[in-house]
């Protein structure tokens, strides 16, 4: 069965989520809850380097978190998207809207 592993780390002005596995309808419930709760409190960085695939629900979650962050005055960053994550985001046409970073030192 497909799984999504989530590791949460606190930074000075952000919360980092290191994600590995498959982001789809069946696996993102826990991540969705964490992002929804914490984007209201802090900047969020999601490390997508070890993501194997992302479906439309996963992309929708990232778009919703991005929008919620703007509403709350916080930023949503995607760090090092894997090829699969990058393709899924590019297919939406919104890839350039997202803040893509390569290290947490780029968080503002």
């Amino acid at each position: 069965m497909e799984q999504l592993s989530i590791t949460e780390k606190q930074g000075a002005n952000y919360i980092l989520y290191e994600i590995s596995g498959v982001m789809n309808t069946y696996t993102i419930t826990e991540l969705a809850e964490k992002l929804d709760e914490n984007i209201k409190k802090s900047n969020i960085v999601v490390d997508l380097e070890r993501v194997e695939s992302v479906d439309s629900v996963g992309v929708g979650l990232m778009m919703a978190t991005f929008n919620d962050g703007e509403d709350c005055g916080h930023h949503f960053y995607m760090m090092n998207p894997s090829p699969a994550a990058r393709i899924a985001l590019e297919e939406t046409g919104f890839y350039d809207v997202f803040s893509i970073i390569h290290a947490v030192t780029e968080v503002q």
Side-chain angles (χ1 to χ4, degrees), residues 26-39:
Y26 306 104
T27 64
I28 66 166
T29 303
E30 179 184 358
L31 179 61
E33 291 169 359
K34 289 176 182 289
L35 294 179
D36 182 56
E37 177 183 338
N38 289 313
I39 193 65

Side-chain angles (χ1 to χ4, degrees), residues 8 10 15 17 29-44 61 64-65 68-69 72 74:
E8 182 177 322
Q10 297 286 327
I15 300 171
Y17 292 99
T29 303
E30 179 184 358
L31 179 61
E33 291 169 359
K34 289 176 182 289
L35 294 179
D36 182 56
E37 177 183 338
N38 289 313
I39 193 65
K40 297 170 183 144
K41 301 175 187 175
S42 179
N43 296 318
I44 299 288
L61 171 62
T65 305
D68 290 346
C72 297
H74 295 119

Side-chain angles (χ1 to χ4, degrees), residues 4-5 16-23 31 35 45-54 58-59 61-62 76-89 95 98-101:
L4 186 67
S5 173
L16 169 66
Y17 292 99
E18 296 174 336
I19 310 298
S20 63
V22 176
M23 289 180 67
L31 179 61
L35 294 179
V45 177
V46 177
D47 183 349
L48 300 172
E49 187 171 21
R50 293 183 307 275
V51 169
E52 298 167 15
S53 69
V54 181
V59 172
L61 171 62
M62 290 185 279
F76 176 67
Y77 298 92
M78 291 183 222
M79 187 166 71
N80 299 324
S82 67
R86 184 179 183 100
I87 289 168
L89 294 168
Y95 181 81
F98 293 114
S99 297
I100 309 295
I101 62 174

